[in-house]
């Protein structure tokens, strides 16, 4: 069964930008070579001697941005050679000019060596962060039992792959269960709490006979973790779902999280649920939590989004109208719905400053008898 990753690929999306640590674009890599060729062509085609040798001094620092120490050394050697080739009419630099460019070249090779080592370390740390993210929010299968799954995750902290949102879909002895939540805070500081909650959820899927008991188990997990925390109490919002064996109905428990949206035909409506307090605030009487049951029809889809989506604002301060736009965006394959909503969200609010998580669940109902 093929897995669908919730993480953006490094090629498809890198929100850091090349001035913030991402690999430089192609034009930056070609700029030093293009300058060498342009200077050589200009001096060979000109009838008069052009005093442009000083431009060669910019090539070693530009090479540092894109190339390793060996390639940088080769470019620096080419610069020094060009200054001493009579055909290019650049063979009249003073001794001070030669010493200056030689010093800049040696320094550029050293800086390129340091940068290459640092880039290798950063790539290793990014790989570790991606492995950690996959551990707490692993890639979802395209289908779990009778339910199709698509997830999308974007961390708020630029340059990171981990954050405070989480989701998972698991099959167990009591049915297919899904969770989406958002822990207190975001970024690297929230990863430990996310890992703790995900472990508790996976155990509860196997042990707890009903969805309310799963919510109570997650609540207890946060209460125990809070007792050992140095800072304020931990809490998390969450929405939990449980599909019946034939996927004709779904039970929903919402603890402080935005309710799921039901896509039916050309309409997107919010599922009517009895909301409960966020997890970690002490659900002492689990019997008071109500699980809402929703009957499903062929073609129905359930769309879950974190508050990073519904609380995003545009320049005028207006909230992102998820329910209003979702029906139009739902046209097409369910597997691409989360990506379409993400593209629309970024167009509405380019500076999304919170973790964004979406989960699309598509039950495949058996034919009616």
């Amino acid at each position: 069964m093929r897995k669908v990753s919730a993480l953006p690929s490094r090629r498809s999306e890198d929100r850091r930008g090349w001035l913030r640590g991402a690999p430089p674009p192609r034009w930056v890599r070609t700029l030093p070579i293009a300058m060498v060729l342009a200077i050589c062509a200009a001096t060979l085609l000109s009838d008069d001697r052009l005093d442009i040798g000083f431009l060669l001094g910019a090539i070693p620092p530009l090479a540092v941005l894109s190339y390793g120490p060996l390639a940088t050394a080769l470019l620096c050697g080419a610069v020094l050679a060009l200054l001493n080739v009579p055909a290019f009419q650049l063979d009249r630099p003073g001794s001070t000019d030669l010493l200056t460019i030689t010093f800049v070249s040696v320094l550029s090779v050293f800086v390129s060596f340091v940068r290459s080592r640092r880039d290798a370390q950063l790539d290793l740390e990014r790989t570790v962060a991606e492995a950690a993210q996959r551990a707490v929010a692993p890639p979802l299968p395209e289908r779990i039992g009778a339910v199709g799954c698509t997830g999308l995750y974007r961390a708020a902290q630029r340059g990171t792959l981990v954050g405070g949102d989480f989701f998972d879909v698991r099959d167990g002895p009591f049915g297919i269960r899904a969770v989406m939540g958002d822990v207190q805070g975001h970024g690297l500081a929230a990863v430990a709490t996310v890992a703790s909650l995900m472990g508790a959820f996976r155990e509860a899927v196997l042990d707890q006979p009903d969805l309310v008991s799963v919510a109570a188990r997650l609540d207890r997990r946060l209460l125990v973790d809070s007792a050992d925390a140095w800072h304020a109490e931990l809490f998390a919002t969450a929405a939990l779902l449980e599909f019946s064996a034939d996927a004709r109905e779904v039970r929903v428990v919402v603890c402080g999280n935005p309710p799921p949206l039901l896509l039916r035909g050309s309409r997107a409506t919010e599922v009517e649920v009895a909301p409960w307090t966020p997890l970690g605030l002490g659900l002492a009487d689990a019997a008071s939590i109500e699980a809402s049951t929703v009957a499903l029809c062929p073609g129905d889809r359930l769309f879950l989004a974190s508050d990073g989506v519904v609380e995003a604002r545009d320049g005028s301060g207006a909230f992102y109208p998820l329910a209003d736009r979702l029906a139009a965006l739902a046209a097409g394959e369910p597997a691409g719905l989360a990506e379409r909503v993400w593209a629309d969200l970024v167009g509405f609010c380019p500076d999304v400053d919170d973790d964004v998580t979406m989960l699309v669940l598509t039950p495949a109902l058996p034919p009616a008898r």
Side-chain angles (χ1 to χ4, degrees):
M1 184 178 293
R2 187 165 68 90
K3 302 286 186 177
V4 180
S5 175
L7 297 174
S9 67
R10 297 184 187 183
R11 291 186 179 181
S12 65
E13 178 169 341
D14 196 327
R15 299 172 62 198
R16 294 174 294 169
W18 73 279
L19 294 178
R20 294 177 178 267
R26 184 172 298 177
W27 67 267
V28 176
R29 294 181 58 85
T30 59
L31 185 58
I33 300 175
M35 286 187 63
V36 171
L37 296 176
I39 291 172
C40 293
T43 54
L44 289 175
L45 297 176
S46 176
D47 296 332
D48 300 326
R49 178 178 178 273
L50 298 177
D51 190 16
I52 58 175
F54 70 94
L55 293 176
L56 294 173
I59 293 175
L62 288 175
V64 172
L65 295 175
S66 305
Y67 296 99
L70 180 58
T72 301
L74 292 176
L75 284 171
C76 292
V79 167
L80 294 174
L82 289 175
L83 290 173
N84 293 279
V85 175
F88 294 109
Q89 302 181 23
L90 299 172
D91 58 334
R92 300 179 186 177
S95 59
T96 303
D97 296 334
L98 280 175
L99 288 174
T100 299
I101 294 181
T102 301
F103 174 76
V104 171
S105 298
V106 173
L107 184 62
S108 297
V109 172
F110 174 74
V111 173
S112 177
F113 172 77
V114 174
R115 182 194 59 78
S116 298
R117 296 291 296 271
R118 182 171 296 177
D119 285 352
Q121 180 64 28
L122 290 176
D123 285 341
L124 176 60
E125 293 176 357
R126 187 171 176 84
T127 301
V128 172
E130 184 172 350
Q133 177 62 44
R134 291 182 184 275
V136 298
L140 294 175
E142 290 183 339
R143 181 168 297 278
I144 298 179
V147 180
C149 309
T150 303
L152 180 141
Y153 181 90
R154 297 291 185 270
Q157 189 171 340
R158 291 182 180 272
T160 65
L161 297 170
V162 292
D165 284 6
F166 61 94
F167 63 82
D168 201 3
V169 183
R170 296 276 164 166
D171 195 2
F174 306 105
I176 298 172
R177 290 168 173 173
V179 65
M180 168 179 284
D182 181 6
V183 307
Q184 176 189 15
H186 58 262
L188 299 176
V191 176
T193 306
V194 169
S196 180
L197 277 176
M198 294 300 291
F201 172 75
R202 290 162 188 168
E203 289 293 329
V205 165
L206 301 175
D207 300 335
Q208 300 302 318
D210 57 76
L211 196 61
V212 170
S213 299
V214 175
R217 174 70 67 87
L218 299 183
D219 179 69
R220 188 185 69 177
R221 177 72 268 168
L222 281 182
L223 286 175
V224 172
D225 292 347
S226 243
D228 298 329
W230 293 96
H231 50 81
E233 60 187 7
L234 300 174
F235 65 89
T237 61
L240 298 100
L241 290 80
E242 179 182 83
F243 290 89
S244 61
D246 57 4
R248 293 188 182 277
E249 64 179 22
V250 61
R251 288 172 287 278
V252 183
V253 169
V254 172
C255 299
N257 202 74
L261 293 171
L262 177 64
L263 283 164
R264 176 171 292 171
S266 59
R267 296 184 59 191
T269 57
E270 191 174 274
V271 174
E272 294 185 3
V273 296
W276 196 252
T277 58
L279 302 173
L281 302 183
L283 303 179
D285 185 9
S288 62
I289 308 176
E290 295 182 10
S292 302
T293 301
V294 179
L296 299 175
C297 300
D300 284 355
R301 283 170 282 177
L302 290 161
F303 186 91
L304 292 86
S306 64
D307 55 9
V309 178
V310 297
E311 294 180 2
R313 298 171 182 254
D314 63 5
S316 65
F319 288 106
Y320 177 66
L322 175 61
D324 296 337
R325 300 199 181 198
L326 189 58
L329 295 171
E333 290 296 323
L337 176 57
E339 291 287 352
R340 293 193 294 271
V341 174
W342 168 251
D344 187 63
L345 176 66
V346 172
F348 180 87
C349 175
D351 297 323
V352 180
D353 58 359
D354 197 1
D355 297 328
V356 168
T357 307
M358 305 178 206
L359 185 61
V360 184
L361 302 175
T362 308
L365 275 66
R369 295 180 180 179

